[in-house]
mmCIF file of all heavy atoms in Angstrom:
data_model
loop_
_atom_site.group_PDB
_atom_site.id
_atom_site.type_symbol
_atom_site.label_atom_id
_atom_site.label_comp_id
_atom_site.label_asym_id
_atom_site.label_seq_id
_atom_site.Cartn_x
_atom_site.Cartn_y
_atom_site.Cartn_z
ATOM 1 N N ASN A 210 -23.316 -22.636 34.846
ATOM 2 C CA ASN A 210 -24.182 -23.092 33.747
ATOM 3 C C ASN A 210 -23.390 -23.150 32.443
ATOM 4 O O ASN A 210 -23.807 -22.618 31.411
ATOM 5 C CB ASN A 210 -25.380 -22.161 33.600
ATOM 6 C CG ASN A 210 -26.574 -22.845 32.937
ATOM 7 O OD1 ASN A 210 -26.466 -23.989 32.478
ATOM 8 N ND2 ASN A 210 -27.693 -22.163 32.889
ATOM 9 N N ASN A 211 -22.253 -23.825 32.511
ATOM 10 C CA ASN A 211 -21.283 -23.785 31.415
ATOM 11 C C ASN A 211 -20.833 -25.198 31.029
ATOM 12 O O ASN A 211 -19.645 -25.455 30.867
ATOM 13 C CB ASN A 211 -20.079 -22.942 31.867
ATOM 14 C CG ASN A 211 -19.130 -22.621 30.738
ATOM 15 O OD1 ASN A 211 -19.552 -22.409 29.600
ATOM 16 N ND2 ASN A 211 -17.840 -22.589 31.033
ATOM 17 N N ILE A 212 -21.805 -26.107 30.900
ATOM 18 C CA ILE A 212 -21.475 -27.515 30.710
ATOM 19 C C ILE A 212 -22.016 -28.059 29.391
ATOM 20 O O ILE A 212 -23.135 -27.743 28.973
ATOM 21 C CB ILE A 212 -22.035 -28.358 31.879
ATOM 22 C CG1 ILE A 212 -21.408 -27.908 33.201
ATOM 23 C CG2 ILE A 212 -21.774 -29.838 31.667
ATOM 24 C CD1 ILE A 212 -19.895 -27.999 33.239
ATOM 25 N N ILE A 213 -21.213 -28.883 28.764
ATOM 26 C CA ILE A 213 -21.619 -29.602 27.555
ATOM 27 C C ILE A 213 -21.635 -31.103 27.868
ATOM 28 O O ILE A 213 -20.706 -31.618 28.486
ATOM 29 C CB ILE A 213 -20.651 -29.316 26.388
ATOM 30 C CG1 ILE A 213 -20.807 -27.870 25.924
ATOM 31 C CG2 ILE A 213 -20.901 -30.272 25.215
ATOM 32 C CD1 ILE A 213 -19.858 -27.457 24.819
ATOM 33 N N LEU A 214 -22.694 -31.760 27.472
ATOM 34 C CA LEU A 214 -22.800 -33.208 27.662
ATOM 35 C C LEU A 214 -22.196 -33.895 26.439
ATOM 36 O O LEU A 214 -22.789 -33.918 25.361
ATOM 37 C CB LEU A 214 -24.268 -33.622 27.829
ATOM 38 C CG LEU A 214 -24.507 -35.065 28.286
ATOM 39 C CD1 LEU A 214 -23.988 -35.280 29.708
ATOM 40 C CD2 LEU A 214 -25.992 -35.407 28.209
ATOM 41 N N LYS A 215 -21.002 -34.422 26.613
ATOM 42 C CA LYS A 215 -20.304 -35.105 25.514
ATOM 43 C C LYS A 215 -21.006 -36.417 25.191
ATOM 44 O O LYS A 215 -21.473 -37.127 26.088
ATOM 45 C CB LYS A 215 -18.853 -35.366 25.918
ATOM 46 C CG LYS A 215 -18.094 -36.255 24.964
ATOM 47 C CD LYS A 215 -16.728 -36.609 25.530
ATOM 48 C CE LYS A 215 -16.052 -37.694 24.711
ATOM 49 N NZ LYS A 215 -14.741 -38.074 25.263
ATOM 50 N N ILE A 216 -21.043 -36.759 23.896
ATOM 51 C CA ILE A 216 -21.670 -38.005 23.440
ATOM 52 C C ILE A 216 -20.598 -38.907 22.847
ATOM 53 O O ILE A 216 -19.819 -38.486 21.993
ATOM 54 C CB ILE A 216 -22.739 -37.720 22.371
ATOM 55 C CG1 ILE A 216 -23.794 -36.750 22.915
ATOM 56 C CG2 ILE A 216 -23.395 -39.016 21.902
ATOM 57 C CD1 ILE A 216 -24.727 -36.211 21.844
ATOM 58 N N GLY A 217 -20.553 -40.160 23.297
ATOM 59 C CA GLY A 217 -19.584 -41.110 22.753
ATOM 60 C C GLY A 217 -18.657 -41.650 23.823
ATOM 61 O O GLY A 217 -18.464 -41.045 24.882
ATOM 62 N N THR A 218 -18.072 -42.811 23.537
ATOM 63 C CA THR A 218 -17.240 -43.502 24.523
ATOM 64 C C THR A 218 -15.741 -43.307 24.307
ATOM 65 O O THR A 218 -14.947 -43.755 25.129
ATOM 66 C CB THR A 218 -17.533 -45.020 24.488
ATOM 67 O OG1 THR A 218 -17.230 -45.532 23.172
ATOM 68 C CG2 THR A 218 -19.000 -45.301 24.794
ATOM 69 N N SER A 219 -15.340 -42.663 23.220
ATOM 70 C CA SER A 219 -13.914 -42.487 22.951
ATOM 71 C C SER A 219 -13.364 -41.288 23.720
ATOM 72 O O SER A 219 -14.112 -40.510 24.322
ATOM 73 C CB SER A 219 -13.655 -42.301 21.447
ATOM 74 O OG SER A 219 -13.977 -40.973 21.056
ATOM 75 N N ASN A 220 -12.049 -41.114 23.660
ATOM 76 C CA ASN A 220 -11.409 -39.980 24.323
ATOM 77 C C ASN A 220 -11.511 -38.687 23.510
ATOM 78 O O ASN A 220 -11.095 -37.633 23.976
ATOM 79 C CB ASN A 220 -9.923 -40.283 24.579
ATOM 80 C CG ASN A 220 -9.742 -41.400 25.586
ATOM 81 O OD1 ASN A 220 -10.528 -41.514 26.519
ATOM 82 N ND2 ASN A 220 -8.725 -42.221 25.400
ATOM 83 N N HIS A 221 -12.048 -38.789 22.300
ATOM 84 C CA HIS A 221 -12.136 -37.628 21.414
ATOM 85 C C HIS A 221 -13.461 -36.896 21.621
ATOM 86 O O HIS A 221 -14.527 -37.512 21.621
ATOM 87 C CB HIS A 221 -11.995 -38.062 19.961
ATOM 88 C CG HIS A 221 -10.805 -38.932 19.705
ATOM 89 N ND1 HIS A 221 -9.522 -38.530 20.004
ATOM 90 C CD2 HIS A 221 -10.699 -40.195 19.205
ATOM 91 C CE1 HIS A 221 -8.674 -39.496 19.693
ATOM 92 N NE2 HIS A 221 -9.367 -40.514 19.214
ATOM 93 N N ASN A 222 -13.393 -35.596 21.799
ATOM 94 C CA ASN A 222 -14.595 -34.780 21.972
ATOM 95 C C ASN A 222 -15.106 -34.367 20.601
ATOM 96 O O ASN A 222 -14.552 -33.467 19.971
ATOM 97 C CB ASN A 222 -14.269 -33.536 22.803
ATOM 98 C CG ASN A 222 -13.588 -33.888 24.106
ATOM 99 O OD1 ASN A 222 -13.796 -34.971 24.651
ATOM 100 N ND2 ASN A 222 -12.784 -32.975 24.623
ATOM 101 N N LYS A 223 -16.157 -35.019 20.156
ATOM 102 C CA LYS A 223 -16.638 -34.789 18.795
ATOM 103 C C LYS A 223 -18.066 -34.256 18.747
ATOM 104 O O LYS A 223 -18.370 -33.330 18.005
ATOM 105 C CB LYS A 223 -16.531 -36.086 17.990
ATOM 106 C CG LYS A 223 -16.650 -35.877 16.489
ATOM 107 C CD LYS A 223 -16.276 -37.147 15.737
ATOM 108 C CE LYS A 223 -16.390 -36.944 14.233
ATOM 109 N NZ LYS A 223 -16.081 -38.183 13.491
ATOM 110 N N TYR A 224 -18.958 -34.839 19.553
ATOM 111 C CA TYR A 224 -20.355 -34.419 19.565
ATOM 112 C C TYR A 224 -20.788 -34.111 20.998
ATOM 113 O O TYR A 224 -20.348 -34.769 21.942
ATOM 114 C CB TYR A 224 -21.261 -35.514 19.002
ATOM 115 C CG TYR A 224 -20.847 -36.049 17.653
ATOM 116 C CD1 TYR A 224 -20.451 -37.367 17.498
ATOM 117 C CD2 TYR A 224 -20.863 -35.233 16.521
ATOM 118 C CE1 TYR A 224 -20.067 -37.866 16.257
ATOM 119 C CE2 TYR A 224 -20.490 -35.721 15.281
ATOM 120 C CZ TYR A 224 -20.092 -37.042 15.156
ATOM 121 O OH TYR A 224 -19.703 -37.533 13.937
ATOM 122 N N GLY A 225 -21.663 -33.123 21.134
ATOM 123 C CA GLY A 225 -22.141 -32.781 22.464
ATOM 124 C C GLY A 225 -23.428 -31.981 22.432
ATOM 125 O O GLY A 225 -23.886 -31.531 21.374
ATOM 126 N N ILE A 226 -24.015 -31.804 23.615
ATOM 127 C CA ILE A 226 -25.232 -31.014 23.782
ATOM 128 C C ILE A 226 -24.991 -30.010 24.899
ATOM 129 O O ILE A 226 -24.587 -30.383 26.000
ATOM 130 C CB ILE A 226 -26.440 -31.907 24.125
ATOM 131 C CG1 ILE A 226 -26.701 -32.915 22.993
ATOM 132 C CG2 ILE A 226 -27.681 -31.065 24.382
ATOM 133 C CD1 ILE A 226 -27.778 -33.938 23.310
ATOM 134 N N VAL A 227 -25.217 -28.720 24.605
ATOM 135 C CA VAL A 227 -25.038 -27.665 25.605
ATOM 136 C C VAL A 227 -26.205 -27.732 26.597
ATOM 137 O O VAL A 227 -27.364 -27.588 26.216
ATOM 138 C CB VAL A 227 -25.003 -26.268 24.942
ATOM 139 C CG1 VAL A 227 -24.812 -25.190 26.003
ATOM 140 C CG2 VAL A 227 -23.888 -26.209 23.905
ATOM 141 N N LEU A 228 -25.893 -27.970 27.870
ATOM 142 C CA LEU A 228 -26.931 -28.126 28.876
ATOM 143 C C LEU A 228 -27.426 -26.776 29.389
ATOM 144 O O LEU A 228 -26.665 -25.822 29.529
ATOM 145 C CB LEU A 228 -26.400 -28.957 30.045
ATOM 146 C CG LEU A 228 -25.995 -30.394 29.710
ATOM 147 C CD1 LEU A 228 -25.461 -31.105 30.948
ATOM 148 C CD2 LEU A 228 -27.167 -31.168 29.104
#
Side-chain angles (χ1 to χ4, degrees):
N210 204 354
N211 191 35
I212 299 302
I213 291 177
L214 191 66
K215 171 187 170 181
I216 303 169
T218 60
S219 78
N220 293 325
H221 309 303
N222 307 332
K223 195 169 180 182
Y224 308 116
I226 299 174
V227 180
L228 297 179

